[in-house]
Amino acid sequence: MKTLILVFTGFLIFPSLVLADSGSNDFQISSAAFENNTDIPKKYTCDGGDINPPLSFKNVPAQAKSLALTISDPDAPEGVWSHWVIYNIPPNIGEIIENTNPGTEGLSDFGKYTYGGPCPSDEKLHHYIFRAYALNTILNINEGPTLSEVEKALRGRTISKAELIGTYQKSPF
């Protein structure tokens, strides 16, 4: 986010415009289990243990009151498929440990209030977008929200956003 700073160059004469970066673009999400744009290990899919991978957050904006995380598959034949919707994560968490739930879970497209790993219905390569949001508030929304309801609640409350993309393709055998 850019902050507007007015710098006066004299006695109320012509103000100069300076844009200062608040540093919010440095917010990052990563995983010790896979690098960005690489394969998600089978352990974190429906073909393995179907548990959430470990995730780390760096450079969370100091003014963040909570974090939210969504995982979705835009390559699903049905359209964008949500795999995990979780919000009101403490902003100082630093990491989500494998197979844990650090916040309030919404309803995934699997019809569950928990992580659902990559599980493509076809044999194409699918991309899984892990989106982390640093928020200026703790979300107060109806219990069991869907991905679209959480995304709507994020509008106007997001300080910064970070993405991690993992891929997965079912074996033809």
Side-chain angles (χ1 to χ4, degrees):
M1 179 191 315
K2 300 282 183 192
T3 305
L4 177 65
I5 300 174
L6 290 177
V7 179
F8 289 94
T9 57
F11 297 99
L12 301 177
I13 306 196
F14 301 102
S16 299
L17 209 58
V18 177
L19 290 177
D21 194 340
S22 67
S24 62
N25 292 335
D26 295 332
F27 180 41
Q28 298 172 11
I29 181 174
S30 62
S31 179
F34 62 96
E35 296 289 322
N36 193 39
N37 287 311
T38 64
D39 290 337
I40 297 171
K42 188 175 183 178
K43 174 180 184 176
Y44 306 109
T45 74
C46 68
D47 295 321
D50 207 18
I51 60 172
N52 67 277
L55 299 167
S56 297
F57 305 103
K58 290 184 182 167
N59 304 319
V60 175
Q63 66 271 38
K65 302 279 191 262
S66 70
L67 302 177
L69 174 70
T70 64
I71 304 173
S72 58
D73 172 8
D75 302 315
E78 304 85 356
V80 176
W81 187 268
S82 70
H83 286 260
W84 204 18
V85 179
I86 187 165
Y87 58 98
N88 291 344
I89 301 167
N92 61 349
I93 193 167
E95 67 179 325
I96 296 176
I97 298 169
E98 173 183 285
N99 201 27
T100 63
N101 163 16
T104 304
E105 292 177 301
L107 183 64
S108 74
D109 284 333
F110 291 108
K112 302 186 305 184
Y113 294 95
T114 187
Y115 172 85
C119 196
S121 60
D122 56 32
E123 294 175 6
K124 295 183 348 187
L125 180 69
H126 286 242
H127 298 81
Y128 297 87
I129 304 172
F130 293 67
R131 284 191 180 102
Y133 302 85
L135 307 175
N136 63 7
T137 189
I138 294 173
L139 293 180
N140 184 13
I141 52 181
N142 291 334
E143 190 174 320
T146 62
L147 173 62
S148 63
E149 291 168 334
V150 168
E151 288 175 336
K152 182 178 178 183
L154 297 175
R155 290 186 200 130
R157 296 176 175 97
T158 301
I159 300 167
S160 190
K161 182 170 82 170
E163 287 187 359
L164 170 67
I165 298 174
T167 59
Y168 187 68
Q169 184 172 14
K170 277 199 173 200
S171 172
F173 306 106

